[in-house]
Every structure is written in structure tokens, then in C-alpha cells.
Amino acid sequence: MADILTPALGESVTEATIGKWTKKAGDAVKKDEVLVELETDKVSLEVVSPADGVLSEIKTPDGETVTPGAVLGVVTEGASAAPSAEAPKVAAAPKAEAAPAPAAASAPAATPAPAAPSGGSVAIMTPTMGESVAEGTMGTWLKKAGDTVAKDEMLVEIETDKVAVEVSAPAAGVLTIDAETGSTVTPGQQIGSIAASGEGAAPAPARTAAPAAPASSGSDAPHLSPAVQRVVAENNLDPKALAATGPKGNITKADAVAAIGAAPAATPAPKAAAPAAPRADQPREERVKMTRLRQTIARRLKESQNTAAQLTTFNEVDMTNVMALRSQYKDVFEKRHGVKLGFMSFFTKAIVAALKEIPAVNAEIDGTDIIYKNHYDIGVAVGTEKGLVVPVLRDADQLSLAGIEKGIAALGKAARDGDLTLDQLQGGTFTITNGGTYGSLMSTPILNAPQSGILGMHNIVQRPMAVDGQVVIRPMMYLALSYDHRIVDGKEAVTFLVRVKELLEDPARALLDL
């Protein structure tokens, strides 16, 4: 027998929580196969089987707390369970009564039964979802159990608290589903299997499933993100009838919403039949489970408030010169660089210059240490249909205005399309959030921990201002700097914000590095 032990969890990490076991007691396992995931306050760790054999005992169930070196379970070495599982698999397809006979092998045999004629099946596993991502939520399967699928065909999307991960078919064959829509899964967990359909009696189940394929839209069904799936399901839309404007021919949420607006014209009778009924048919309240991303946003924002000594200081900036410069060169700039000249590049340049002068705003606290960053990776908050994400523009100090605009445009597009990678969401040193795009006049942004500063931009409003003893109308914007008072003093925060104001009101200074 071989014990499954809790591995070392890293410096200063003394305990972990058991995630979800991917196998049950009595299941056959292979050496180095992922059995369970441990979640700590910093990272998640996968624990693999120490040998081939049978998972004879699970000592620590899901949700329990363990310490390094604790025994999680026991693997009985040897492959005795594998042959016994094979026998009932052959009998399971023609005769269902044969399956319950072996107690230990009955559970595994049920899933791969369709694969028996061809000699086996290919498991569909939850992929690794990135550092510190311990679990995800199953989206809607694009195929039904029993459907025939092609290799690399998209099957389902798993939504995590950071990104959406697409899962494709590892082989061609007949689909069996183990993890239903909405269930929680962990990396390495089996969510289904593909029974190969290439020889012996395999074609029979494949042909049996084929007639059902047209009803479920077949293999030509368009790939839908979870957000689009909800709109389509709630409004009884036909995915094939939707015009796709997204990348790679994908249907976006905007496409689905646009189709809803066109629906009443095509089906006026049902709409007119019950003009006073909509409110009567709807509950007064509706409970909807928060998405993983929304849960993470809520948790991190609250943790930020609980941890840092947050304070916000305000100033206002006259945008006259920036707007004049932008208006004068925007056409030439776009023709030369292939990207529009916006305000974000000017703000980024001004912020980087101010961070160099006030390094505490670009630092973070780690225990009793202060880590000063000599690089300037600027997070740019982007609102998406799933929630707020903050992709990071790397080495902003080394980029030109055109480079900044291209980088921000690419990150924004990736965020809205759900194509951001984990690397693009980690490691920022300072954050910019622009509530002005939604009409915000003033706000107090919350720190993006562990960063020590975040700048809030707001709406540009024409206001009467006193200039050289005269009242003139100027385009003004309020700026808000939230900062961690544990590391940034009030003087430093005000100096930083004044410096940003000066560089924006005289943009030539930032461009000339003055």
C-alpha cells in the first residue's frame, strides 16, 4: 500500500483545505494521476497518485483542513482493479443487468461503457485553470450525452473567477457527461468521456445517436459563451439564426440582445396575446447565484478595505490643452499608427512620470517589508458583461503614446471577448479606472490590492473657471487618488496628484520628460 500524503505547502503556509476528490474509494488509479486538489490562502496544489492500483481509502473528505505530511488516502498497489473493470464494460453495452455484479468496479464501468466495443474511452478532464484558481463552474454543454463528437470540437466552457476556459473533445466518438451544467469542478477532475467509435460494434451506438443530432443542432452548432447562452435560453432564440460579429465568428452578447429586439416583429401574436401579463408571470424577487468572477470581485474589494488604510484625495484638471493637442493630431496619429489617439495614453504618461517621483505610490506592503517597484506595469480597469477586470499594461514607461494606445486597445478587446490570459491579469503596480466613460462626475475608487494607489478618472464637464481674473468656460475633470495610508503619506499623495495635474495641463512636459 502507498499513502497519499499532503505535500509541503510553501513558506509560511501551515494548512490547506481539501478540494474535490476526482476519484471515489474503489476506483482504479494510475501513477501520477491527479486525485485531489488542496487549496491554501496563496495557491492551489494538485496531489497525484503515488502508484498504479486502486484508491482503497479516502481518509480526509472534501472540505476538511489538513497539514503538511497528513495522510489523505491510501492506494493499494497493483493493477487488479483495471482488468475487473474491463470485463463488465464489454457486458454493459448489450446487457445492463451485468453491470452491478462487481461492487468495486460498478461506478467506473458505468461511465466508459460505450467505449467497450473499441477497447476503451478517453476521459475529458478539467484543464489547469491557472495559478491560484482552485475551481470553476460548468457552463452549458454544447452537446448532449450520447451525441457523436469530432476531435477538438468545442464541448463546454468552464467559468472561473478570472477567465473562461474552453474544453474541447480529446478524441472523436460518443460523449458521456459526468459533470452537469452549473456544477463546481476542480483542475484534473473528469467531467466526461469520449467512447471511440471506430471498430467492432462501436458504429451501432454512434448511428443510434446520430438521428438525435439534428434536433440538438449537430456539430455545426455555434459556440456560445455562458453569458450568450443565458440570453439565448431566456428568450428562446435560435443560435443558428444569430448574426455573429465576434472574433473567430463567435456570437457575442450584443448579437443575442440585438436579436431579441427583432424578435417581436417576427412573432407579434404571442406578444399581443397577453399585454398585461408580464408582471403577473414574474416573481417579485429572483435569486441568482453569483458568478465566480463576481464572487472574486466582491471578496477582493472587501479584503482591500479590511486590510489597507484607504484614503482618497481629489483634484481637478483643466483638459483644454490635452483636448486641443488630441484634436489637432488625431487624424494624422490614426493614419500613422493605426489606432485612435485617446486620453488614456496622456494619463498613463503623466502617471508614470509621477510614480517615478513618488515611488511609495508604486510600492506595496509585504508583512513588515515595503517592496518598491522599479517597473511600471499599469492596470487598466475594464467593464465587461461578466464584471470588472483589470488587465495589465506591461512596462508602460518604455512605451510611446501609440504603444500605450495599442496596448490598452488590445487588452480591452481581449477583456470584452473573454480572451484574457492569467498573465495579463496579474502583477500590476498601479491602476487607472475611468468612470467618466459611464458619466461619473466623482467617485472614491477602491484599491486593487496589494497595490498602494489607484487613480479614478471622471467625466469631462464644461464649467466656469477663474483664469487670470476672468471667468472662462473650461473642460474640467475631477481626479481621485485612493491610496494606502500605511505606506503613502498625505503629502506624497497630494504631491503625486498635483504632478499628474501639471503634466496633463501642460502635456508637452510629459512628452519632453520635464
Side-chain angles (χ1 to χ4, degrees), residues 12 90 114 135 170 172 184 193 234 238 266 326 369 451 514:
S12 77
V90 177
E135 60 184 16
T184 299
S193 61
E234 291 169 0
D238 180 5
R326 178 174 176 267
D369 298 330
Q451 298 172 19
L514 297 177

Side-chain angles (χ1 to χ4, degrees), residues 247-262:
K248 305 175 185 177
N250 289 345
I251 297 172
T252 66
K253 184 178 180 181
D255 298 333
V257 172
I260 297 172

Side-chain angles (χ1 to χ4, degrees), residues 180-408:
E180 297 298 332
T181 298
S183 61
T184 299
V185 294
T186 57
Q189 176 180 338
Q190 182 170 330
I191 59 175
S193 61
I194 303 291
S197 55
E199 58 186 59
R207 291 193 182 102
T208 302
S216 62
S217 74
S219 60
D220 60 344
H223 166 55
L224 305 179
S225 70
V228 177
Q229 290 169 10
R230 285 192 291 270
V231 176
V232 169
E234 291 169 0
N235 296 277
N236 297 319
L237 301 177
D238 180 5
K240 288 184 177 181
L242 300 181
T245 62
K248 305 175 185 177
N250 289 345
I251 297 172
T252 66
K253 184 178 180 181
D255 298 333
V257 172
I260 297 172
T267 57
K271 293 292 181 180
R279 190 177 296 271
D281 293 341
Q282 296 175 359
R284 291 180 63 85
E285 296 179 352
E286 184 179 2
R287 183 181 294 270
V288 179
K289 184 176 177 61
M290 294 172 68
T291 63
R292 295 265 170 203
L293 178 60
R294 178 59 60 187
Q295 292 177 43
T296 300
I297 292 171
R299 185 183 70 251
R300 293 200 61 195
L301 291 178
K302 190 56 184 173
E303 287 174 352
S304 176
Q305 286 185 321
N306 293 341
T307 302
Q310 296 199 39
L311 189 62
T312 303
T313 185
F314 299 91
N315 213 317
E316 59 183 352
V317 56
D318 186 342
M319 297 293 291
T320 299
N321 291 333
V322 168
M323 294 178 69
L325 188 64
R326 178 174 176 267
S327 177
Q328 182 178 356
Y329 292 107
K330 64 179 182 180
D331 293 336
V332 177
F333 186 92
E334 184 174 2
K335 183 177 180 180
R336 175 70 178 273
H337 299 291
V339 65
K340 292 183 178 180
L341 177 60
F343 294 117
M344 290 299 294
S345 54
F346 291 101
F347 274 86
T348 303
K349 278 286 186 183
I351 286 168
V352 168
L355 290 175
K356 290 181 177 180
E357 293 187 25
I358 314 294
V361 186
N362 200 49
E364 69 179 60
I365 292 178
D366 184 15
T368 58
D369 298 330
I370 298 176
I371 302 175
Y372 290 97
K373 309 292 183 66
N374 295 319
H375 56 98
Y376 304 90
D377 297 338
I378 307 301
V380 181
V382 179
T384 72
E385 59 188 25
K386 294 183 179 180
L388 183 72
V389 292
V390 187
V392 178
L393 183 68
R394 306 288 178 188
D395 298 316
D397 58 316
Q398 300 178 22
L399 298 177
S400 63
L401 290 178
I404 293 172
E405 292 291 355
K406 289 178 180 178
I408 291 176

